Amino acid sequence: MSDSALKLDKTIFEKEIHCVSIRVPSKCANKFMKNFGGHLLDMKKFKPIVEDNIIKNNNYRLLILNQKYKKLDLSDLPKDKRDFIFQVQQEEQSADVELFKCEPYNIKVGYDSMPAEEVFRKILPESIKEVPSSYEQVGHIAHINLKDDVLPYKHIIGQVIIDKSPSVKTVVNKVGNISTQFREFHMEVLAGENDLNVDMNEHGFRYKFDYSKVYWNSRLGTEHQRLPKLFNKDDIVADMFAGVGPFAIPASKNAKCAVHANDLNPNSYEYLKQNVKLNKVEKLVTCYNMDGREFIKHLVEKEIKFTQVIMNLPASAVEFIDVFKGLFTAEYTPLPVIHCYTFIRNDQEESSESLAKQSVRDVLGVNDITFTSVYNVRNIAPKKDMYCVSFKLPVNHKRKLELTDTQESSDSKKLKPQ
Ligand SMILES: C[S@@+](CC[C@H](N)C(=O)[O-])C[C@H]1O[C@@H](n2cnc3c(N)ncnc32)[C@H](O)[C@@H]1O
């Protein structure tokens, strides 16, 4: 049956859970709560100690035992817990016959009190072993990657996610692989509002963008915070693949340093400029819409110095390191620290860290590189991790001084690429 023909019948989730309750004096409720850990009702949205609605008396509370206990004579409850009830009963010395009475307590559960995963298990055929269990949230959008076998149920899955998460207004599914030049997703709206304009907050910074037109990955939130913390106000940062600004904006705002932020995607560039304004860092961040290599050459040609370079295009950033070969003149000190993100697929004996370093050496064609850190950012897939390799360019990559005229005077020395 196709998904659009399927309707979510919420009545199929209704059921009654039969529990056992004990009437205890209100003043002893905390004592029981402390002593009965693990033996009280354990269900989301339901409390184990409630007001007594059977005999409406504020001096009573109903203690609801864990749903695994079913016997009204408490014979399935561990002996030490039964002894504890008896002990409190003795201490209270109450003549009230209602107190310490056990009674059935039935809890009605349904769609609203069930977690999404449980709902999926109930509505998806048993042949589907892996039900959807997680999604990435970007502003009001939940982004899910559905496997082929659940695709016939994609709209219902979307609807359940919206019902279960108040902050989600739209659910999208990734269509195809992320292999576009600008790393944006092709997506299909499964449920909710057909609105992909995000207005969100990450670590106190505000970002606006159209999720279908630019790259954004909420799983990089920690990294967007970690890297800018390495910079200080004397730094000048060149962000080669800046996206909509999640490194550039925190760097300028926190370290108060100047940032040159670039992205080739015209949409990213537009949103980058908007976000720079939105976060009030126009004075520190300059935006560019160029190819990453051209951007670096442009900064050098315009004698715009930079001390830190961010290269977050993990699938191919390492290849872009070639732009630094022979680019700098002898006067360019200190040479910048490069932070290059890369994916390392590791099914070899060699460590991922050394594979990451080697990939940088291979592109630069030299061995004497000073690596300041090789940081494991996150796991992407089995045997595949994302790393941030930070290194200083070796001195022999400085351009050689060349005399442009016959004068030997140091004043007349001009710098030319090798
Ligand atoms: C993985 S995203 C990272 C964006 C941002 N730094 C972040 O963390 O969200 C890579 C970015 O590089 C941009 N890009 C792709 N190829 C590029 C190139 N040749 N030159 C400059 N930017 C490029 C894409 O448009 C995309 O925004």
Side-chain angles (χ1 to χ4, degrees):
M1 203 180 344
S2 95
D3 182 34
S4 51
L6 292 169
K7 284 268 171 295
L8 188 59
D9 176 7
K10 296 184 181 172
T11 59
I12 63 166
F13 302 97
E14 287 168 8
K15 62 177 177 183
E16 225 172 23
I17 313 270
H18 302 289
C19 301
V20 172
S21 69
I22 309 169
R23 182 166 296 112
V24 297
S26 304
K27 59 179 182 186
C28 301
N30 277 345
K31 223 188 249 185
F32 278 99
M33 193 73 184
K34 276 187 199 143
N35 187 280
F36 268 60
H39 299 275
L40 292 179
L41 180 73
D42 182 15
M43 280 174 60
K44 260 193 187 157
K45 297 192 178 172
F46 292 96
K47 290 183 180 158
I49 296 186
V50 293
E51 282 181 15
D52 187 349
N53 281 330
I54 306 169
I55 306 174
K56 296 193 189 309
N57 182 334
N58 204 30
N59 294 327
Y60 299 155
R61 287 287 180 275
L62 290 183
L63 186 79
I64 305 159
L65 296 182
N66 191 284
Q67 51 275 35
K68 68 187 171 195
Y69 302 122
K70 299 289 178 199
K71 303 214 167 141
L72 277 178
D73 64 2
L74 303 184
S75 54
D76 53 356
L77 191 68
K79 185 171 176 312
D80 64 317
K81 299 299 155 204
R82 277 185 278 146
D83 289 348
F84 183 77
I85 299 170
F86 183 70
Q87 187 193 321
V88 179
Q89 202 172 357
Q90 296 299 303
E91 282 165 13
E92 288 303 304
Q93 291 186 339
S94 169
D96 188 341
V97 290
E98 295 301 337
L99 273 179
F100 301 100
K101 234 185 183 180
C102 295
E103 292 191 23
Y105 189 91
N106 297 335
I107 298 175
K108 279 200 176 121
V109 293
Y111 179 79
D112 292 338
S113 56
M114 247 177 211
E117 239 181 288
E118 217 175 308
V119 173
F120 293 147
R121 280 216 182 83
K122 195 148 173 92
I123 55 176
L124 298 178
E126 270 179 32
S127 56
I128 295 173
K129 294 286 171 249
E130 226 180 290
V131 301
S133 58
S134 64
Y135 56 81
E136 186 191 335
Q137 191 164 345
V138 179
H140 68 285
I141 301 173
H143 163 207
I144 190 157
N145 295 328
L146 292 180
K147 296 214 167 125
D148 287 351
D149 57 353
V150 293
L151 283 180
Y153 308 90
K154 59 188 179 184
H155 295 296
I156 281 196
I157 291 172
Q159 190 51 52
V160 174
I161 292 175
I162 288 193
D163 290 344
K164 298 289 166 192
S165 349
S167 57
V168 172
K169 302 280 176 262
T170 304
V171 179
V172 299
N173 183 36
K174 185 169 139 191
V175 181
N177 276 330
I178 179 172
S179 52
T180 60
Q181 183 188 16
F182 298 143
R183 319 305 293 169
E184 77 277 30
F185 294 106
H186 291 300
M187 58 187 77
E188 177 194 14
V189 175
L190 300 183
E193 299 162 7
N194 195 0
D195 175 12
L196 300 174
N197 286 302
V198 172
D199 182 347
M200 61 165 283
N201 209 292
E202 188 182 70
H203 307 305
F205 301 105
R206 196 164 157 208
Y207 300 99
K208 280 188 174 189
F209 51 87
D210 179 334
Y211 191 42
S212 65
K213 293 190 175 150
V214 301
Y215 175 91
W216 182 272
N217 187 342
S218 295
R219 296 197 175 108
L220 288 179
T222 310
E223 191 56 19
H224 290 153
Q225 205 174 26
R226 182 193 73 93
L227 191 71
K229 279 192 181 150
L230 304 178
F231 309 149
N232 63 55
K233 75 172 181 20
D234 298 326
D235 273 316
I236 300 169
V237 178
D239 189 353
M240 256 168 111
F241 311 104
V244 299
F247 284 115
I249 291 167
S252 62
K253 198 91 177 182
N254 290 344
K256 313 229 175 319
C257 61
V259 179
H260 298 272
N262 170 68
D263 202 284
L264 185 59
N265 178 353
N267 291 310
S268 294
Y269 171 66
E270 288 307 322
Y271 287 115
L272 173 66
K273 285 193 296 186
Q274 280 187 34
N275 291 330
V276 163
K277 271 199 191 133
L278 209 57
N279 290 282
K280 301 187 173 58
V281 283
E282 308 96 301
K283 286 196 178 134
L284 287 171
V285 183
T286 315
C287 304
Y288 303 76
N289 180 208
M290 303 170 95
D291 167 71
R293 283 189 185 87
E294 297 312 314
F295 162 67
I296 291 294
K297 287 182 197 161
H298 170 84
L299 295 182
V300 173
E301 272 161 27
K302 295 280 174 202
E303 296 182 355
I304 300 171
K305 276 210 154 194
F306 47 91
T307 56
Q308 309 277 352
V309 182
I310 307 173
M311 301 177 72
N312 181 21
L313 181 62
S316 59
V318 169
E319 294 160 27
F320 282 77
I321 293 173
D322 63 1
V323 70
F324 299 107
K325 282 167 102 172
L327 186 70
F328 297 106
T329 65
E331 288 167 337
Y332 204 108
T333 47
L335 284 172
V337 180
I338 318 282
H339 307 276
C340 180
Y341 289 88
T342 182
F343 293 134
I344 298 292
R345 201 180 291 276
N346 192 359
D347 37 25
Q348 308 166 31
E349 268 182 24
E350 215 173 325
S351 73
S352 298
E353 285 77 2
S354 60
L355 289 174
K357 287 178 181 174
Q358 195 51 45
S359 66
V360 172
R361 289 190 194 105
D362 289 347
V363 178
L364 289 176
V366 286
N367 283 325
D368 63 336
I369 298 165
T370 309
F371 291 95
T372 52
S373 88
V374 180
Y375 181 81
N376 187 332
V377 177
R378 69 186 195 99
N379 177 252
I380 307 292
K383 298 191 172 169
K384 186 180 176 186
D385 289 297
M386 178 176 171
Y387 277 85
C388 176
V389 189
S390 301
F391 58 96
K392 285 185 186 159
L393 284 169
V395 173
N396 63 356
H397 277 281
K398 291 181 176 184
R399 279 192 293 186
K400 282 186 184 144
L401 285 171
E402 279 185 5
L403 289 177
T404 51
D405 57 28
T406 49
Q407 274 185 290
E408 290 288 320
S409 138
S410 61
D411 295 346
S412 64
K413 281 174 186 168
K414 290 258 160 58
L415 306 171
K416 256 189 172 183
Q418 271 183 307

